[in-house]
């Protein structure tokens, strides 16, 4: 377990069934399998990716993990990890910290292969990120921002104990049009830590 950059948490993160770790070049095909699927990315803030897009995205993940969060207080900082189950990558998860005074507010995000839908992997890995946000990064609040049509993601937020706080109308511009955003939130005092492995 090697700490990445100046992180207050050691990677990989583990759950009962999953390993959340830094991506490697060997993961490109697995990430491409779901990020290249129109049905998977229709609720995400980016469109379908080709191989070059996945490689560039994964390079940004590496670059950010190599940056100490305290060295970039003028902007958001994020940690994106692939989720591995039984030796194969099944998705990826993201924890974003806001700049300066908002550094104690985290946002989580997740995307998974449809081949593992309904197995609870999104909830299990997102719960581990929430634990890291509160216990390791010292956050006082965790949010999730999602497309209101993404009911599966909303159910994950509810299973995490998050509260649906807002429905923002036409606040996100992507693919040439404005769309809505649903905001879920969880405060430190509402958080119930899970058992560490």
């Amino acid at each position: 377990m090697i700490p990445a950059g100046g992180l207050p948490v050691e990677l990989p993160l583990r759950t009962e069934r999953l390993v959340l770790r830094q991506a490697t070049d060997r993961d490109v095909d697995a990430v491409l399998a779901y990020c290249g699927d129109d049905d998977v990315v229709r609720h995400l803030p980016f469109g379908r990716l080709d191989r070059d897009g996945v490689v560039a995205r994964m390079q940004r993940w590496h670059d950010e993990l190599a940056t100490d969060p305290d060295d970039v207080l003028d902007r958001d900082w994020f940690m994106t990890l692939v989720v591995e189950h039984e030796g194969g990558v099944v998705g990826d998860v993201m924890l974003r910290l806001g700049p300066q005074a908002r550094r104690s507010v985290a946002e989580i995000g997740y995307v998974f292969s449809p081949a593992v839908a309904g197995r609870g992997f999104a909830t299990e890995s997102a719960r581990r990120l929430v634990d890291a946000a509160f216990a390791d990064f010292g956050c006082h609040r965790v949010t999730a921002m999602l497309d209101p049509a993404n009911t599966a993601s909303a159910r994950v937020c509810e299973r995490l104990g998050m509260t649906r706080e807002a429905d923002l109308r036409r606040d996100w511009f992507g693919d040439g049009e404005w769309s809505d955003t649903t905001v879920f939130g969880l405060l430190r005092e509402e958080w119930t830590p899970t058992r560490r492995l």
Side-chain angles (χ1 to χ4, degrees), residues 58-78:
M58 290 171 62
Q59 184 60 53
R60 286 191 301 275
W61 298 350
H62 283 283
D63 293 346
E64 198 70 2
L65 274 176
T67 304
D68 186 322
D70 291 335
D71 290 343
V72 289
L73 293 176
D74 60 331
R75 65 169 175 84
D76 286 354
W77 176 88
F78 64 92

Side-chain angles (χ1 to χ4, degrees), residues 98-144:
Q100 298 275 351
R102 290 188 42 84
R103 192 57 102 199
S104 66
V105 176
E107 178 188 352
I108 59 168
Y110 37 85
V111 56
F112 282 83
S113 167
V116 297
R119 297 181 63 183
F121 292 162
T123 302
E124 189 172 324
S125 57
R127 183 170 285 123
R128 182 63 185 92
L129 280 188
V130 168
D131 286 347
F134 288 126
D136 300 311
F137 288 91
C139 293
H140 86 275
R141 173 178 166 77
V142 173
T143 65

Side-chain angles (χ1 to χ4, degrees), residues 31-67:
V31 174
L32 179 60
Y34 57 86
C35 285
D37 184 328
D38 286 324
D39 287 336
V40 172
V41 300
R42 74 175 184 252
H43 297 302
L44 299 178
F46 58 87
R48 183 172 54 85
L49 300 177
D50 60 14
R51 175 173 286 281
D52 289 341
V54 168
V55 169
R57 188 166 185 257
M58 290 171 62
Q59 184 60 53
R60 286 191 301 275
W61 298 350
H62 283 283
D63 293 346
E64 198 70 2
L65 274 176
T67 304

Side-chain angles (χ1 to χ4, degrees), residues 6 28 60 83 96-97 110 143 197:
V28 170
R60 286 191 301 275
V83 179
R96 180 189 325 267
L97 301 177
Y110 37 85
T143 65
L197 298 177

